Amino acid sequence: MSVFRKKARLSNPEKPETILDLEMVVDSGATYTQIPSSVLHQLGVRKQFKRKLKIATGEIIERDAGILQIQLNGETGPTWVIFGDEGSDPLLGAVTLEEFGLAVDPVNKILIPVPELMLAAGKTVIPIGPYHPLQEEPEFFRLHVEGERVVGLDIELGYNHRGIEKLAESKTYDQIIFLVERICGICSTSHPIASVQAVEDVGGVEVPERALYISSIIGELERLHSHLLWVGLAGHFLGYNTVWMWAWRYREPVLDIFEQVTGNRQHYAMMKVGGVRRDIEDSDIPAIEKAVDALVPIADMFKGAIVDDPVIHARTKGVGILTKEDIQNYGALGPTARASGVAIGVRRDHPHAAYGLVDWNVITQEEGDVFAKAVVRVLEMYESVKIIKQCLGKLKKVKGEIDAKVKEIPPGEGIGHYEAPRGEVFHYVRSDGTNRPVRYKVRAPSYMNVPTNKTSVVGETVSDATIILAAVDPCYCCTERTAAIDTNTEKRTLTGQDLIKLSQEKTKRIADELGLEMESRLQGILK
Amino acid sequence: MVKKDVLKEIKDKFSERILKLWEKSPRRIYIDLKAEDIPGAASFIFKALKARFVIASGVDTRQHIEILYHFAFDELGKIISLRTLLDRRNPEIESLTSIITGTEWIEREIHELLGVNFRNHPDLRKLLMPEDYPPEGEYPLRRDFK
């Protein structure tokens, strides 16, 4: 290593009148600056403390140390100094160089100023995702965290890009329904409803009335099971594992109805351009009525367990707020929009299927926080039950065809959209008159809802981040695959489990503060 | 509040600039505009008429790269789509991100899949596909993509 000298002006900060200029050896291999004791005595530097030092032979020695005022590269400041042996070279050590923000340039033999770092204490990046077995859309959130607070959010997607739009260009219209049904495992009938609507829009197809009721029944049953799924997961994230288990238990009868009516618990394959593929037999109706009636007390129970719970209030009220302007700017949809007082819903605004023919309400809340989103979903379950029961009633009276038997799709373009459990799904199709589309565009609701997290998560705490990210119901955002990595050491500090635990512990803390014994209370409600 | 006859307002405001207006049905309206008129029209529809931005979609028609901006008037049950045709050799249009935050992702996506350059977009990185596929200059939704 090349050695070079640098002129420094030394003084004693306690008696600054004596000044000494000295050529010092720049030695970034030495921790501290070191000057022969006689020189320091001349300046009157006091021995204030001792440092243990390792010397070249590996031996540990102890030396006196004090504080020296030093002028270097035009700047003056105090630094620690070791009382060195007589006759040794005065050394300019690493600590002093760092204090002055200087780096060694051994080639040109100069000291160069470098920008010094100022990082907020414990600034950390927390990656959330990208994969999680519960979601059909892997997403990757990178939370930038200062202490407990989230200061920034990056969202990355494409982990499960399957090229559905490109694939659709090589499929027939009949095949496309099965293709788009597989976009999502949870809203698996919403995409087919939008798809057949888009193709029907190209040709101006009139769909038989009976088919409209069947579409709506399937669509609302899906909304019921999807909202129950969300209630369960939200409960889990908040530490209400009883809610989780019970919500999913009551989701099962809904899937049983699907199996009975369509033959499948998921991917029902019910939609068809110009109608529906299967009829609902009169003999099936009583069983469906019984099952959806049984969901009303279940919805009451969750309303009691969640909507009226002071601990849930403490965890979710005022957390992750989205304003009406945010909703408008991001084009957010579904319960996410309705919880911020934006009363939109494709079912009412652009009535398709039987929604214009039955009586029901669009549920809205004004607050825009996580709590409001939960309330919207729970209350929407009652509306779904209402719609299903009315449609079943109509099915008993309106008989006839369930399929317009469409033979050809003319050239042209069409738009279809449907209110999926998470918001509007939007399909655009361009036909050239063959049996395959020229272009097929799909826009799922999470595509518009997920970017709102950039607004709702920033400024909140890490323990609230999971529930805020989950509040738009992004088909469950990889939270169990979360890991927190300390940016300085690259060491894993928190796993996904830890983050959920963090959230659950916060709930428990609030419950304890309120003097509530959580699980036993819930057991009481959930009977 | 959404005005009753939004279509008339759009016609009045952009009369001479509308290349073609097609009322496919009372609920589906397509308006063709030049690329340079898109920001003005989108801003009027989104900010003054308070429409909801639904999504944009692009298509390679072999002659042009066509972009459709879909807006929903939920209270009227209408979807109005603004259509513009871009030069296929050098498709370029002004980004709408400064007007509508929600256009950020879809413009990135159209850039990635159809090779449209959105001028003044804050971040035109790839959205869906891996960094190294497809190679630079190849766009999966173009007709000539192999």
Side-chain angles (χ1 to χ4, degrees):
Chain A
M1 192 187 134
S2 74
V3 171
F4 63 98
R5 286 172 185 270
K6 182 85 192 160
K7 198 177 268 177
R9 175 164 288 186
L10 312 177
S11 62
N12 177 358
E14 291 168 339
K15 291 185 235 161
E17 55 280 359
T18 319
I19 293 169
L20 206 69
D21 286 330
L22 204 62
E23 289 265 321
M24 297 183 71
V25 176
V26 176
D27 184 3
S28 56
T31 307
Y32 298 108
T33 290
Q34 182 180 321
I35 288 173
S37 300
S38 56
V39 180
L40 293 177
H41 289 313
Q42 203 181 323
L43 290 168
V45 175
R46 282 188 298 126
K47 291 177 180 170
Q48 295 187 30
F49 47 94
K50 291 183 186 296
R51 304 307 296 162
K52 283 204 167 79
L53 304 165
K54 196 181 200 176
I55 58 172
T57 59
E59 196 187 334
I60 308 279
I61 56 165
E62 199 173 62
R63 283 284 182 274
D64 292 312
I67 295 168
L68 177 74
Q69 182 98 343
I70 185 164
Q71 190 182 13
L72 198 61
N73 262 28
E75 280 190 295
T76 309
T79 188
W80 283 10
V81 64
I82 302 291
F83 285 74
D85 295 332
E86 284 314 307
S88 65
D89 274 329
L91 303 178
L92 204 51
V95 168
T96 308
L97 291 173
E98 221 169 89
E99 280 170 343
F100 280 79
L102 295 169
V104 178
D105 178 350
V107 179
N108 299 313
K109 302 195 171 181
I110 50 166
L111 294 175
I112 43 174
V114 286
E116 293 182 279
L117 307 174
M118 190 171 88
L119 296 180
K123 180 156 182 169
T124 305
V125 178
I126 303 182
I128 300 185
Y131 295 108
H132 186 283
L134 284 175
Q135 61 171 11
E136 89 284 15
E137 305 169 305
E139 284 149 356
F140 185 25
F141 298 100
R142 214 178 273 116
L143 294 181
H144 296 263
V145 175
E146 267 180 31
E148 273 282 284
R149 213 143 283 279
V150 180
V151 293
L153 175 71
D154 295 331
I155 307 171
E156 222 173 79
L157 59 165
Y159 289 90
N160 201 19
H161 181 63
R162 291 159 291 171
I164 298 261
E165 292 178 20
K166 183 80 180 163
L167 266 173
E169 292 175 7
S170 63
K171 304 251 179 245
T172 67
Y173 291 108
D174 264 345
Q175 290 172 324
I176 284 173
I177 300 165
F178 295 94
L179 174 70
V180 298
E181 190 153 36
R182 276 144 189 85
I183 290 173
C184 172
I186 306 301
C187 23
S188 72
T189 212
S190 300
H191 286 287
I193 293 177
S195 174
V196 298
Q197 214 195 120
V199 180
E200 286 158 10
D201 186 37
V202 177
V205 178
E206 279 292 321
V207 180
E209 193 180 344
R210 189 172 168 85
L212 298 179
Y213 294 119
I214 296 174
S215 294
S216 285
I217 290 169
I218 301 296
E220 291 312 304
L221 283 170
E222 179 178 272
R223 194 177 322 280
L224 280 171
H225 93 72
S226 177
H227 282 1
L228 280 169
L229 183 98
W230 184 85
V231 166
L233 282 166
H236 172 56
F237 287 141
L238 291 173
Y240 281 10
N241 285 334
T242 318
V243 168
W244 177 27
M245 291 298 155
W246 283 70
W248 284 28
R249 179 198 151 163
Y250 288 115
R251 183 174 165 256
E252 282 302 302
V254 184
L255 301 184
D256 291 342
I257 301 174
F258 273 126
E259 192 171 3
Q260 187 184 343
V261 175
T262 73
N264 298 308
R265 288 161 63 83
Q266 290 290 340
H267 300 319
Y268 326 112
M270 281 294 274
M271 300 305 147
K272 185 173 193 295
V273 175
V276 290
R277 219 165 270 279
R278 285 179 215 93
D279 208 346
I280 293 179
E281 303 292 333
D282 279 351
S283 56
D284 282 336
I285 292 177
I288 305 172
E289 278 177 335
K290 198 173 151 221
V292 293
D293 276 339
L295 286 174
V296 175
I298 309 301
D300 288 341
M301 185 180 83
F302 287 116
K303 212 173 124 210
I306 294 170
V307 178
D308 303 332
D309 184 288
V311 182
I312 302 251
H313 286 195
R315 273 313 305 277
T316 58
K317 279 199 165 177
V319 170
I321 294 175
L322 288 171
T323 62
K324 276 187 184 171
E325 289 70 44
D326 295 332
I327 299 295
Q328 158 89 352
N329 284 336
Y330 282 100
L333 302 159
T336 305
R338 291 194 284 274
S340 295
V342 180
I344 53 168
V346 180
R347 290 177 295 171
R348 183 199 58 194
D349 303 333
H350 310 261
H352 171 71
Y355 295 110
L357 307 170
V358 293
D359 176 39
W360 60 285
N361 298 315
V362 171
I363 303 292
T364 56
Q365 294 283 308
E366 290 301 317
E367 296 79 10
D369 51 14
V370 175
F371 184 76
K373 293 182 182 83
V375 171
V376 165
R377 289 195 180 93
V378 171
L379 296 183
E380 278 184 3
M381 298 204 293
Y382 293 99
E383 299 304 317
S384 293
V385 170
K386 244 160 85 180
I387 294 169
I388 293 169
K389 293 210 46 183
Q390 291 177 61
C391 288
L392 287 170
K394 296 272 190 177
L395 275 191
K396 291 177 194 163
K397 289 181 219 127
V398 181
K399 300 288 176 191
E401 278 300 315
I402 54 162
D403 182 6
K405 301 210 167 54
V406 177
K407 292 269 185 289
E408 268 177 18
I409 311 298
E413 55 196 332
I415 290 169
H417 53 165
Y418 177 72
E419 187 75 16
R422 288 154 189 82
E424 176 200 49
V425 291
F426 179 93
H427 289 222
Y428 169 84
V429 62
R430 174 79 63 95
S431 158
D432 61 356
T434 63
N435 62 350
R436 292 160 212 267
V438 185
R439 175 82 173 94
Y440 199 95
K441 170 74 197 160
V442 176
R443 205 274 343 264
S446 294
Y447 196 87
M448 307 307 275
N449 286 339
V450 170
T452 63
N453 287 322
K454 282 188 181 173
T455 298
S456 54
V457 171
V458 170
E460 303 285 353
T461 63
V462 181
S463 49
D464 288 336
T466 45
I467 189 66
I468 297 171
L469 293 177
V472 304
D473 193 6
C475 296
Y476 274 77
C477 56
C478 11
T479 19
E480 276 173 28
R481 279 271 310 173
T482 315
I485 295 168
D486 192 304
T487 37
N488 298 322
T489 59
E490 300 257 311
K491 232 181 90 188
R492 254 168 187 254
T493 52
L494 287 168
T495 65
Q497 295 294 346
D498 292 337
L499 263 189
I500 293 174
K501 227 172 115 199
L502 215 71
S503 176
Q504 294 179 344
E505 279 165 2
K506 183 168 176 182
T507 305
K508 186 155 185 314
R509 213 163 53 235
I510 292 170
D512 291 347
E513 281 163 16
L514 293 172
L516 297 170
E517 219 287 286
M518 234 164 67
E519 285 296 315
S520 63
R521 246 187 96 251
L522 277 173
Q523 300 283 5
I525 299 166
L526 295 168
K527 263 202 304 236
Chain B
M1 203 58 208
V2 175
K3 307 268 177 16
K4 259 281 158 272
D5 198 349
V6 288
L7 194 56
K8 187 174 175 299
E9 290 206 28
I10 295 169
K11 278 190 210 161
D12 290 349
K13 179 118 178 142
F14 297 98
S15 55
E16 69 277 29
R17 275 175 263 168
I18 293 176
L19 303 174
K20 193 177 134 197
L21 191 144
W22 180 37
E23 273 191 82
K24 187 173 189 298
S25 72
R27 293 162 63 178
R28 302 279 189 270
I29 295 139
Y30 296 85
I31 300 173
D32 292 16
L33 291 165
K34 282 189 186 153
E36 65 257 33
D37 292 330
I38 289 286
S43 176
F44 179 70
I45 290 174
F46 182 74
K47 294 209 158 135
L49 300 181
K50 296 276 175 222
R52 172 167 64 84
F53 173 69
V54 179
I55 200 66
S57 60
V59 53
D60 178 4
T61 65
R62 291 181 202 274
Q63 288 85 39
H64 297 98
I65 300 292
E66 176 186 314
I67 301 183
L68 281 159
Y69 296 90
H70 307 283
F71 291 91
F73 288 93
D74 288 316
E75 293 176 28
L76 304 172
K78 278 186 201 303
I79 292 183
I80 294 186
S81 305
L82 303 181
R83 187 198 314 271
T84 191
L85 301 175
L86 306 177
D87 179 3
R88 200 172 176 279
R89 282 159 305 171
N90 184 25
E92 214 180 49
I93 189 167
E94 192 67 23
S95 165
L96 296 187
T97 42
S98 59
I99 304 164
I100 309 164
T101 316
T103 56
E104 193 181 326
W105 276 10
I106 189 62
E107 288 187 350
R108 271 174 76 178
E109 187 183 312
I110 295 173
H111 171 73
E112 177 182 357
L113 301 179
L114 280 160
V116 175
N117 178 29
F118 289 91
R119 287 190 299 266
N120 299 318
H121 188 287
D123 173 19
L124 273 182
R125 276 178 306 144
K126 284 186 173 181
L127 183 73
L128 300 169
M129 311 278 278
E131 282 294 303
D132 53 353
Y133 180 84
E136 191 70 31
E138 291 187 25
Y139 306 105
L141 287 182
R142 291 264 186 117
R143 294 274 149 239
D144 46 15
F145 181 79
K146 295 266 186 307

